[in-house]
Amino acid sequence: MIEPSVGSLVALRAEGDRLPLHCVHPVSGSPFCYSAMAHRLRDGQPVFGFEAPGFDGASEPLTSIRALAELHTASLRAARPHGPYQLLGWSLGGVVAYEMARMLAAEGEEVPLLVIVDAALPGTQSVPPDDELARYFLYDFLGVTRDRAPGVDKALAGVRPGAEPAEVFEAAEVHGAVPEEFDAEFLMERYALFRTHVVAMREHRLDAVHDGPAILIKAEDSVERLLDWSPYVSRLTVRTAPGDHHSVWQGAGLTAISAIVDQALGEATAG
C-alpha cells in the first residue's frame, strides 16, 4: 500500500475559495512549471501541484506511472477527502493525471475537469540510449526542443557516441551550456529522476477508457500522431496552443493555455 504524502502537494496559488485545480508534475518531477499559468487564472482560483518522490534528492523515485498515480491520488484524498476534483498535467503529468482521474472515478468521486497538455500517448516511443537521453534531458532542463538548442549542441559536439551521461554533463558544464550554478553533479542527480520517469512513461500502457470530460491542449508544433487520446477518453475536447512542447508555456502559448484552462474551470464549476 502506498502511503499518502500531503507534503508532496505544493501551493502554487493558495488563496481563493473556488474548487482547487491540482496539477501533476512533468518528467522533471517539479510542478513549478505551472506557476505562471496559476497566476493568470481568475481571482479566487487556488492551484496546487504535486512534486514527485525523488525530486528532493532524498526520497526514492517511483518507477511506474501507476505508482505515481496511486501516490498522488492518496495524497490528494488525504488533503481533500472528497471531490469534486479538477486535474491538469503536462507531458508525463498528463498521463499521470489521466490515471488519477480514472482511479477517482472508480472510487465514486466526481472529476468534472481533466486537462491533458501536450502529452504523448505512453508506449508510442522507445527509450533511447543513455547518451541520447542525457542530451534530451539537457533540452528539457533548459526548456528547449532539439532544433532550438544551439548552445547544447555546440557544447556536446565533441562528446563521443555512446558516452556515459556523466561525460555529457561535464561537457555541458565546461562549455557553459547550462547556468554556472548547475554543475555536472547536480545534473546527474536530476537526470536519475528524469530517466526513471522516461522509462516509466515509455513502458506504461493505457488499458481502459476515461468516461469523464477532458480537454487535450496540443502544442501546434507537436507530432499529431503521438497525441491521439480519442480512443481513451469518451468525452474529449481538443484545443491547440501556439508553440512546441516547451515553448507552449511561454508567450502566446502560455496566454492561450491560461485562457483555455480558465474558461474550462468556470464551466466545470458552473455545472
Side-chain angles (χ1 to χ4, degrees):
M1 178 180 178
I2 293 181
E3 292 296 325
S5 174
V6 178
S8 69
L9 269 175
V10 177
L12 302 176
R13 186 183 179 190
E15 71 280 359
D17 55 5
R18 295 179 182 274
L19 185 65
L21 174 66
H22 289 87
C23 303
V24 185
H25 59 82
V27 68
S28 69
S30 171
F32 287 102
C33 55
Y34 305 116
S35 293
M37 177 199 70
H39 291 281
R40 286 171 174 248
L41 301 178
R42 65 191 59 200
D43 291 343
Q45 179 60 61
V47 182
F48 297 90
F50 294 97
E51 185 176 283
F55 185 76
D56 58 5
S59 55
E60 287 296 315
L62 296 182
T63 58
S64 75
I65 297 296
R66 183 162 299 279
L68 284 166
E70 289 176 350
L71 173 67
H72 294 330
T73 299
S75 299
L76 175 57
R77 299 206 68 174
R80 185 181 178 85
H82 297 290
Y85 297 107
Q86 302 184 123
L87 301 172
L88 177 147
W90 166 49
S91 195
L92 173 139
V95 181
V96 177
Y98 167 85
E99 295 293 3
M100 290 175 66
R102 286 185 51 212
M103 290 177 185
L104 289 164
E107 294 169 359
E109 295 292 347
E110 183 183 358
V111 185
L113 181 62
L114 167 64
V115 181
I116 300 171
V117 183
D118 210 54
L121 290 167
T124 55
Q125 303 169 80
S126 59
V127 180
D130 264 346
D131 60 326
E132 293 181 26
L133 191 58
R135 184 184 293 257
Y136 179 72
F137 162 78
L138 289 173
Y139 298 150
D140 187 83
F141 184 77
L142 295 171
V144 296
T145 49
R146 183 183 297 271
D147 59 344
R148 298 182 184 178
V152 173
D153 294 336
K154 182 178 180 181
L156 304 186
V159 176
R160 62 182 177 84
E164 294 295 323
E167 296 177 56
V168 174
F169 301 144
E170 286 167 8
E173 179 186 358
V174 168
H175 294 285
V178 294
E180 62 182 16
E181 63 265 29
F182 302 122
D183 60 17
E185 182 179 356
F186 175 87
L187 294 172
M188 195 66 199
E189 291 175 357
R190 282 284 180 262
Y191 174 74
L193 178 62
F194 175 88
R195 188 183 191 285
T196 298
H197 285 168
V198 168
V199 172
M201 178 75 164
R202 304 289 167 90
E203 291 182 347
H204 187 64
R205 295 295 181 271
L206 301 177
D207 58 7
V209 176
H210 175 58
D211 290 325
I215 297 173
L216 170 65
I217 303 176
K218 300 190 297 185
E220 63 182 11
D221 294 339
S222 290
V223 181
E224 187 82 20
R225 65 179 175 81
L226 302 179
L227 296 166
D228 183 12
W229 280 83
S230 58
Y232 305 101
V233 182
S234 62
R235 298 161 60 189
L236 183 67
T237 300
V238 180
R239 304 289 298 274
T240 302
D244 57 38
H245 187 65
H246 290 97
S247 68
V248 75
W249 289 103
Q250 304 161 18
L254 173 62
T255 298
I257 289 176
S258 301
I260 293 168
V261 173
D262 195 56
Q263 180 182 354
L265 287 165
E267 293 173 352
T269 54

